[in-house]
Amino acid sequence: MRPESRPANKTLIEKILLITRLCEDERVALSALPFHTCSLRPGKTIISVGDRPTSCFIILAGFVTSSKISGTSSAGYTGIHIAGDMPDLFGLYLDEMDIDMRAASGCTLAFVEHAAVRRLCGDHPRLNGALWRLTLTDAAVLREWIINVGHRDAIVRLAHLFCEIHMRMLEVGLAPGDVCDFPFTQAELADATGMSTVHVNRSLQQLRALKLVSFDGKKLAILDWAGLAAQGDFQANYLHHGRGTAAAHGRASIEERTPHV
Amino acid sequence: MRPESRPANKTLIEKILLITRLCEDERVALSALPFHTCSLRPGKTIISVGDRPTSCFIILAGFVTSSKISGTSSAGYTGIHIAGDMPDLFGLYLDEMDIDMRAASGCTLAFVEHAAVRRLCGDHPRLNGALWRLTLTDAAVLREWIINVGHRDAIVRLAHLFCEIHMRMLEVGLAPGDVCDFPFTQAELADATGMSTVHVNRSLQQLRALKLVSFDGKKLAILDWAGLAAQGDFQANYLHHGRGTAAAHGRASIEERTPHV
DNA sequence: CGAGTACTTGACACGTTTCAACATCCGTGG
DNA sequence: CCACGGATGTTGAAACGTGTCAAGTACTCG
């Protein structure tokens, strides 16, 4: 409730540093962002379809899921968000939320008022770009999910999901020794992959039998990265790691790309 | 090649007007954007995975598809883009393209250099916001596609796709009398919905038998909107029509949204 | 007119879902 | 401490939706 004073949005800064270089000025501005943290129990709803939030949040710890068709028995996840993510940043420019978001585990969030973010973006063009880019990499993950749930079959789907989560956890330093938290039930994996709980169970057993992963509903351990990536048809390019080129030196010019017909 | 002089980015302005109010200043700046148009034959590749474009394009006429796993026989569409869209705007901040884009029909595109767009965004904060918002509504469509291909069955999937395309065409004035162009083969619908060509054919026949749509590979006519929307589990909210509220008067405050646990 | 492309149809195979029963784990309260 | 109950995981058998294969038809364009 009351604005916290400790500089805990270090998490966001680190995340942004993954993709953009910041000057001192910009770091200071980021650190000065007013926010307040709060802790949520697993299962707690954060936002619902139709909401018009005036703030957005950074996940400091834990997991958050996005879903649609909440009414029905099966949820239909559109995304899984981990520490460092800012999953509802898109609310900054979208009128109404089109998804529900829930705390998939106990988690702590840092809320920032939209107004403050807008001010930040106005004052610091490169931070504006960095945040915009954050929403674009999220969109890139959405594209991959479309392929995953729509065009790959069960075992591949699951393997791919594990690869993605693990890779993203690695990126933010949360997967030491190829092990990371992943407190999801098989039913939740079913929601994330568009399969039935029973089939998730069976596919999991196959992945275990192949000695690719170990997963107990709490921790995810990758036993054989190359093998799992092969099994999961996983190429990490869509995650857009590394610093973006705001002043891109592209190789392909317009002429090369669009031969006139 | 040579910068065109006629003011044909009217299309983009109209699109942006759908979501944001512009002042005279901003309209002038938009109209002054240097661009050059080109026409493409159907099937022409526009961008490929790995490209690092230095410009982006607005679709002035025709249809463009985004896809992944291009190598394989079946394509795996991640999106269908129509006139007024700026489907690769995300390249402005993403290093490498993670999708392929093809002209699905003959189409004419207007290319704008990234540098020019960046300048525009720097000079006009509200245009910056409008373009950002464009990428966010695209992302909202991606979320819906995840649900569509992952959680709905064949007939519903197809019906939903038809609803979406038609609604978006309506939005930009290209579906007078509930009829719009939609020059796609059944094989392409299969790529877009993650089903086999044969099953697309059979599902189509069911939709026709229900007198919901008429579709001949060129034109799409909605015969019964309410019926089709029901059949397709379609709610238009995710398209985020109407003007966004950059200075949102939200009802839900942080306190309401996030009870402290 | 011929050839290629798109569409249509039928029969069959297969992956996945559903249902139902059972086992296991874990927190809670007696 | 143990007993209980609920949620989670596991297993089998059967039903169903969708994919695959293969043949055939209709259309379009040169």
Side-chain angles (χ1 to χ4, degrees), chain B residues 59-150:
Chain B
I59 305 176
L60 299 181
F63 293 83
V64 171
T65 56
S66 300
S67 58
K68 289 204 165 200
I69 46 174
S70 54
T72 335
S73 51
S74 85
Y77 287 178
T78 62
I80 293 178
H81 311 105
I82 71 175
D85 288 350
M86 229 172 144
D88 73 339
L89 180 53
F90 66 83
L92 195 61
Y93 282 107
L94 253 35
D95 38 359
E96 284 195 354
M97 287 291 148
D98 54 50
I99 51 176
D100 297 318
M101 290 190 152
R102 283 175 55 253
S105 66
C107 55
T108 98
L109 311 179
F111 283 87
V112 186
E113 294 289 335
H114 282 170
V117 177
R118 286 216 184 76
R119 219 173 301 122
L120 188 77
C121 287
D123 295 345
H124 300 273
R126 297 183 58 236
L127 288 180
N128 176 82
L131 291 182
W132 191 345
R133 182 167 199 269
L134 237 39
T135 64
L136 295 178
T137 54
D138 285 350
V141 172
L142 295 177
R143 284 192 285 274
E144 188 69 25
W145 275 48
I146 291 175
I147 299 300
N148 205 39
V149 301

Side-chain angles (χ1 to χ4, degrees), chain B:
Chain B
M1 214 109 187
R2 64 192 181 298
E4 303 270 342
S5 48
R6 66 204 165 87
N9 43 5
K10 206 179 120 225
T11 310
L12 175 61
I13 298 185
E14 275 167 6
K15 177 84 181 191
I16 290 183
L17 277 176
L18 283 174
I19 56 171
T20 321
R21 245 174 264 280
L22 298 181
C23 66
E24 198 48 34
D25 216 34
E26 291 158 344
R27 285 185 212 220
V28 170
L30 259 181
S31 313
L33 254 192
F35 65 95
H36 76 108
T37 60
C38 73
S39 303
L40 271 60
R41 271 192 317 238
K44 194 78 204 159
T45 294
I46 305 169
I47 54 184
S48 307
V49 172
D51 281 357
R52 299 165 163 272
T54 59
S55 63
C56 52
F57 65 87
I58 300 144
I59 305 176
L60 299 181
F63 293 83
V64 171
T65 56
S66 300
S67 58
K68 289 204 165 200
I69 46 174
S70 54
T72 335
S73 51
S74 85
Y77 287 178
T78 62
I80 293 178
H81 311 105
I82 71 175
D85 288 350
M86 229 172 144
D88 73 339
L89 180 53
F90 66 83
L92 195 61
Y93 282 107
L94 253 35
D95 38 359
E96 284 195 354
M97 287 291 148
D98 54 50
I99 51 176
D100 297 318
M101 290 190 152
R102 283 175 55 253
S105 66
C107 55
T108 98
L109 311 179
F111 283 87
V112 186
E113 294 289 335
H114 282 170
V117 177
R118 286 216 184 76
R119 219 173 301 122
L120 188 77
C121 287
D123 295 345
H124 300 273
R126 297 183 58 236
L127 288 180
N128 176 82
L131 291 182
W132 191 345
R133 182 167 199 269
L134 237 39
T135 64
L136 295 178
T137 54
D138 285 350
V141 172
L142 295 177
R143 284 192 285 274
E144 188 69 25
W145 275 48
I146 291 175
I147 299 300
N148 205 39
V149 301
H151 299 265
R152 295 200 255 252
D153 38 45
I155 317 133
V156 187
R157 245 184 258 189
L158 252 192
H160 187 98
L161 179 64
F162 286 148
C163 285
E164 178 186 308
I165 295 293
H166 185 77
M167 187 101 258
R168 287 166 56 196
M169 292 292 275
L170 258 180
E171 210 184 332
V172 292
L174 294 176
D178 279 348
V179 180
C180 64
D181 283 334
F182 194 52
F184 282 74
T185 65
Q186 295 185 5
E188 289 176 300
L189 294 186
D191 288 334
T193 51
M195 21 196 299
S196 69
T197 308
V198 173
H199 210 58
V200 164
N201 183 297
R202 293 185 165 125
S203 305
L204 252 178
Q205 290 178 47
Q206 294 189 54
L207 289 178
R208 286 196 264 248
L210 292 168
K211 303 231 189 298
L212 298 176
V213 300
S214 116
F215 171 70
D216 63 355
K218 305 207 159 104
K219 297 270 186 192
L220 169 66
I222 311 294
L223 306 179
D224 172 4
W225 237 113
L228 189 64
Q231 180 63 259
D233 187 21
F234 181 80
Q235 282 128 309
N237 64 310
Y238 74 93
L239 291 173
H240 297 279
H241 284 204
R243 294 177 169 77
T245 47
H249 323 286
R251 25 181 163 81
S253 76
I254 288 185
E255 284 65 36
E256 289 172 73
R257 285 167 48 206
T258 61
H260 297 246
V261 190

